[in-house]
Amino acid sequence: MRTVFKNCTLLDGTKDMIAQPNTDVAIEDDKIVEIGKIATTKTDKVIDLTGKYLMPGLINLHVHLPAGGKPQNKPMKSNQLAKIALSSALSQALVLKMCQGYAMQDLLSGVTTIRAVGGLGHLDTRLRDKINSGKWEGPRILAADYAIGVPHGHMVGSVAKAAESGEQAVEMVEELAAHKVDLIKLMITGGVMDAKEKGEPGRLMMQADMIKACCDKAHSHGLKVAAHVQSPDGVRTAVNNGVDSIEHGSTLSSAEIDAFHKNNAVLVCTLSPALPMAKFPRETLGISEAVQYNSNLVFNNMILGSKTALANNIPVGLGTDTGCPYTTHYNMWRELHYFEKYVEVTPSFALHTATLGNAKILGLDKIIGSIEVGKCADILISDENPLKDFRTLSQPYAVVGRGKIYLQPKIKKYEQCDLELDKYYD
């Protein structure tokens, strides 16, 4: 049966999109089959969208499925929790179901595709496969499974495993490839919480030879490599040795810009977790003065890096780094707002980046990312114009994921999280 969405205002996701009022969009199975003024038949299911806005489903390039971003007033003991989660078949099954619940928060909030860039063991590919087989509901998932790090490196012991040598790192790439991951994730620098002193977030931890060995092996399997990087030295070392996407990023000099162009690398901006760490009162998060100082440094450098990248025709994508405190699976719309506000792009460019722009980074722009005939029916529908205020996306009127329609979806939210974040929305 065909479903026809009647009388919407269409925002198609393309770079130069303009609002197209009084437009109909028809879907059949999981495909968009017609756009324009559509004559309906008795067998069509018709949904009247008069006054509403229809756009592509959002794409989130950076999530961690084992965590939901629940507010915390002290750092979590993630290593202990990860050990418990993977300790038995029963605990893994429970955590897998929890991850599906978080993935559904993404989908019901309008995020129809996610890239999971660091999880517990091989749970992310297991979840992806259950969703793809139709056994479970959820968004499209591109999964990296666990990330590869170094001893005492960023998130090692939770969503990353340590490689003692280049040879062991390559063995990990081989093992991940055998599990049919969609990409490889490296933890190349430290993070804000890893820094011991003011001014040293993003310390280079994985050395060039290990990075190159991992990238060469990953590329031999047709897999791209994403890397956690939060310093100029880390950016330069990563892209010069084969990394395809820099996650988070930092300021860019001419050397880093040249390296991006030479190696066709992209930058994935993730402002959502940095803003609370940089701007909330320290006692709200239970962090030290040094951590907040470094958080401000990372937040500001990420903004500067994104601006420089865009000015130099380096593709920039968007992700939330969901899993960090106050960074939920249902708040991708906030990342669009931060991108508009701090990187100073237009609302339409922010929406384009989170849809077709992100799809191009994934290499899926022939399938998803825009409202075009023949593409997958991944659709987000809002009550009002998101280009006037992205807040309208916080409660979609409807979401369509691979043709399945969720009308007025109910999203489980953390009240404290949104109350605190709303203080910084303007």
Side-chain angles (χ1 to χ4, degrees):
M1 183 174 66
R2 190 173 70 157
T3 298
V4 181
F5 297 102
K6 296 286 289 184
N7 307 316
C8 72
T9 297
L10 175 63
L11 300 168
D12 64 12
T14 57
K15 188 174 182 179
D16 299 317
M17 73 177 118
I18 56 172
Q20 301 173 49
N22 200 28
T23 301
D24 306 335
V25 177
I27 66 171
E28 191 168 357
D29 297 325
D30 64 345
K31 294 288 189 297
I32 298 168
V33 295
E34 192 174 352
I35 301 170
K37 292 309 298 178
I38 300 172
T40 59
T41 68
K42 291 182 179 180
T43 60
D44 290 334
K45 178 180 180 180
V46 177
I47 299 176
D48 184 16
L49 297 183
T50 299
K52 304 190 188 305
Y53 288 75
L54 184 149
M55 67 212 79
L58 305 180
I59 299 169
N60 190 333
L61 292 184
H62 196 117
V63 306
H64 299 282
L65 282 170
K70 185 177 181 179
Q72 304 286 338
N73 59 7
K74 60 181 179 180
M76 293 179 64
K77 297 179 179 179
S78 55
N79 288 22
Q80 293 180 21
L81 293 172
K83 188 174 181 179
I84 294 169
L86 296 174
S87 62
S88 69
L90 176 59
S91 62
Q92 289 187 38
L94 292 172
V95 173
L96 187 63
K97 196 64 182 173
M98 179 189 74
C99 290
Q100 190 230 357
Y102 289 144
M104 283 301 296
Q105 285 185 349
D106 282 291
L107 179 59
L108 297 179
S109 68
V111 178
T112 51
T113 297
I114 61 175
R115 188 175 63 148
V117 287
L120 297 175
H122 297 293
L123 295 186
D124 287 354
T125 48
R126 285 173 59 185
L127 177 58
R128 176 202 65 191
D129 294 346
K130 283 183 177 291
I131 293 171
N132 287 347
S133 69
K135 293 180 180 178
W136 286 4
E137 292 183 76
R140 179 184 290 98
I141 297 176
L142 285 82
D145 282 348
Y146 66 85
I148 300 171
V150 296
H152 311 295
H154 185 62
M155 301 304 292
V156 163
S158 58
V159 297
K161 293 184 180 181
E164 300 280 351
S165 65
E167 291 77 11
Q168 188 176 12
V170 168
E171 289 173 4
M172 288 180 176
V173 174
E174 289 280 20
E175 195 235 354
L176 289 162
H179 279 265
K180 301 189 185 314
V181 295
D182 299 292
L183 72 156
I184 299 295
K185 173 70 179 298
L186 303 180
M187 298 294 195
I188 287 179
T189 73
V192 169
M193 299 299 289
D194 305 314
K196 306 301 182 186
E197 299 177 3
K198 288 184 178 180
E200 68 160 22
R203 180 168 59 89
L204 183 65
M205 301 186 78
M206 182 179 287
Q207 300 305 309
D209 57 346
M210 184 181 286
I211 298 168
K212 186 176 188 307
C214 288
C215 290
D216 287 348
K217 181 55 66 176
H219 294 159
S220 75
H221 287 286
L223 298 171
K224 289 192 173 183
V225 179
H228 168 97
V229 177
Q230 290 187 324
S231 66
D233 189 25
V235 172
R236 185 167 53 254
T237 305
V239 294
N240 277 330
N241 287 282
V243 166
D244 300 288
S245 70
I246 297 297
E247 312 293 310
H248 318 304
S250 188
T251 55
L252 306 179
S253 70
S254 58
E256 287 86 57
I257 293 167
D258 290 344
F260 267 99
H261 287 307
K262 180 181 178 182
N263 296 289
N264 295 314
V266 303
L267 177 66
V268 176
C269 181
T270 58
L271 296 174
S272 291
L275 183 138
M277 298 282 282
K279 297 185 178 295
F280 280 16
R282 289 194 290 111
E283 57 270 20
T284 302
L285 294 165
I287 57 175
S288 68
E289 181 186 357
V291 167
Q292 187 151 69
Y293 178 93
N294 288 330
S295 298
N296 270 288
L297 190 62
V298 166
F299 182 66
N300 292 326
N301 286 351
M302 202 185 313
I303 292 167
L304 291 171
S306 296
K307 287 182 176 180
T308 302
L310 290 173
N312 287 275
N313 297 314
I314 295 168
V316 175
L318 292 182
T320 57
D321 201 4
T322 292
C324 299
Y326 291 90
T327 310
T328 70
H329 288 278
Y330 60 79
N331 268 339
M332 178 66 178
W333 67 270
R334 292 187 189 273
E335 187 68 29
L336 276 70
H337 170 65
Y338 300 151
F339 195 53
E340 175 197 356
K341 178 178 178 179
Y342 294 107
V343 184
E344 299 178 301
V345 302
T346 65
S348 61
F349 186 78
L351 181 60
H352 162 72
T353 301
T355 54
L356 189 57
N358 278 356
K360 288 179 178 179
I361 287 173
L362 294 177
L364 295 178
D365 51 302
K366 301 297 183 185
I367 301 170
I368 59 174
S370 59
I371 304 299
E372 298 179 61
V373 171
K375 284 196 170 182
C376 188
D378 285 357
I379 294 169
L380 170 58
I381 300 167
S382 64
D383 286 308
E384 297 176 5
N385 185 356
L387 302 185
K388 290 186 176 179
D389 189 345
F390 284 123
R391 192 191 297 265
T392 190
L393 300 182
S394 65
Q395 181 53 63
Y397 174 76
V399 177
V400 184
R402 288 190 270 197
K404 183 175 176 61
I405 300 170
Y406 300 86
L407 276 174
Q408 297 178 309
K410 306 299 181 185
I411 308 165
K412 181 181 178 181
K413 298 184 177 183
Y414 305 120
E415 184 178 0
Q416 180 188 347
C417 175
D418 293 320
L419 284 173
E420 292 295 331
L421 290 171
D422 283 348
K423 296 175 183 178
Y424 301 89
Y425 187 90
D426 54 43

